[in-house]
Amino acid sequence: MAMTLTVASSLVLFLHFISSIASIDRSQFPNSFLFGVATSSYQIEGAALEDNKGASNWDVFTHLPGKIDDGSNGDVADDHYYLYEDDVELMHSLGVNSYRFSISWSRILPRGRFGQINEFGVAFYNKLINLLLSKGIQPFVTLSHYDIPQELEDRYGAWLSSEVQRDFGYYAEICFREFGDRVKHWVTLNEANLWPKFSYMLGTYPPGRCTQPFGNCDFGDSTIEPYITAHNMILSHAIAISNYKKNYQMKQEGVIGIVLYAKWYEPFRNITADHIAAKRALTFALDWFLDPVIFGDYPPDMKAFFSSRLPAFTDLEKKMLQLKVDFIGLNHYTTIYAQDCKFSCEVATSDGNAMVITTTERNGRSIGEPGMHNAATIVY
């Protein structure tokens, strides 16, 4: 599972970072600078179906034979649901002053908008938020980090249906109402530009939909479904942004944004085609979401290449997208080479839709030193 680190591993990385760069001192940063750690709900909470929590897509997917290499699952995970006090104390002992975590959608709404609010779930996050604030740690709350109630998957296909926009808006409303008096930093979706590729192009994340040559799934369409789901994610994000800015931001005095996956591309060869390919890869990976949430429409390059695949925004939707995010978070993992293959692409990867071949090596040499699989979230 290529998801955000657990509390423990994030803190270990934080210590390694501080100890390995002796020339950096905290006094060099302004008092307002936030040093933090991050997690995702499915990866750390455990208590998978306890206290009336509903099943999420990950609860179901990880129990399907062959979906997870080592057969593990998040039923217990780091047991954060019961050990959250110890985890917060560990963060406090290291002196971090911010913590980005995600709320489990199915812990708040076990059946989406088709069921009742789970008061046990609301109570858990209230306790966590209050404890963080008492320790001087600012909560950064992500509404959805690759997870969605399985009920919505079963009812209408989750992100494949525009119905999901209503559900996400309803869920966001509950979170703003219940927690917004103390949470001043909201993230709508984590790595929404990567989610459709893993879930609906490569089939490695739930619901595991794909087609050849991208993957060998029982159902799906890798050529069209990633763009349908991305469209619904963008509009779900816009609905939450619109509600927060119109009804909550002024009285709660918070900010709201989105976090995207940000890989950098260098040209494989010093030729015009590869320089253009590197820019195109970045556009198809990042601007795919950035352009709609900032400018209200998809990038011209994507529209030129995929005019038949990209759904169109209505005038009303474009108007809703004019309510801008307050910040953009970037999860940066790595840099890779991009080689143009516009007329000869045979490699089916998540970058392949940009008509590029990507690699981490050139002439037998790696682009950089191998490191831990981790993301540094940079907020703009």
Side-chain angles (χ1 to χ4, degrees), residues 47 49-54 81-82 107 110 118-121 124:
L49 299 176
E50 297 177 36
D51 286 343
N52 295 337
K53 178 185 174 293
Y81 188 75
Y82 294 110
R107 198 178 294 283
N118 179 20
E119 297 301 333
F120 289 107
F124 168 70

Side-chain angles (χ1 to χ4, degrees), residues 44-47 50 75-84 87:
I44 69 162
E45 285 184 2
E50 297 177 36
D75 290 0
V76 177
D78 293 331
D79 210 16
H80 177 71
Y81 188 75
Y82 294 110
L83 301 178
Y84 72 94
D87 292 334

Side-chain angles (χ1 to χ4, degrees), residues 224-336:
I224 189 67
E225 289 187 354
Y227 306 103
I228 295 172
T229 55
H231 197 74
N232 284 321
M233 288 179 184
I234 291 166
L235 291 174
S236 296
H237 155 86
I239 288 170
I241 291 280
S242 177
N243 183 20
Y244 187 74
K245 287 187 171 290
K246 290 179 179 178
N247 301 313
Y248 290 96
Q249 189 166 52
M250 184 172 294
K251 61 184 178 183
Q252 293 183 349
E253 299 181 330
V255 292
I256 188 167
I258 190 170
V259 171
L260 299 174
Y261 172 77
K263 185 162 55 179
W264 186 255
Y265 299 86
E266 287 289 329
F268 184 74
R269 300 162 295 181
N270 189 23
I271 61 174
T272 300
D274 283 3
H275 281 273
I276 294 174
K279 292 180 180 179
R280 186 170 64 246
L282 188 62
T283 293
F284 284 31
L286 188 58
D287 296 350
W288 179 21
F289 271 74
L290 274 181
D291 273 30
V293 303
I294 294 175
F295 303 117
D297 206 352
Y298 292 112
D301 283 354
M302 288 195 76
K303 293 175 74 172
F305 278 96
F306 296 141
S307 59
S308 62
R309 302 185 200 176
L310 286 175
F313 293 110
T314 66
D315 290 339
L316 183 61
E317 290 166 347
K318 289 180 178 180
K319 184 176 180 180
M320 184 170 58
L321 285 165
Q322 291 175 3
L323 288 170
K324 305 305 182 189
V325 295
D326 298 311
F327 65 88
I328 298 288
L330 300 178
N331 283 352
H332 178 65
Y333 290 82
T334 189
T335 297
I336 58 176

Side-chain angles (χ1 to χ4, degrees), residues 3-14 35-41 43-44 78 80 91 96 98-102 137-138 140-142 145 187 190-191 259 331 333 374-378:
M3 298 176 73
T4 310
L5 294 177
T6 62
V7 171
S9 57
S10 291
L11 295 178
V12 168
L13 186 71
F14 176 82
F35 292 88
V37 292
T39 62
S40 65
S41 58
Q43 205 171 19
I44 69 162
D78 293 331
H80 177 71
M91 285 184 264
V96 300
S98 68
Y99 172 43
R100 182 163 82 91
F101 64 94
S102 67
I137 301 173
Q138 294 188 42
F140 279 65
V141 175
T142 301
H145 188 130
V187 173
N190 179 76
E191 296 184 345
V259 171
N331 283 352
Y333 290 82
N374 182 39
T377 303
I378 308 163

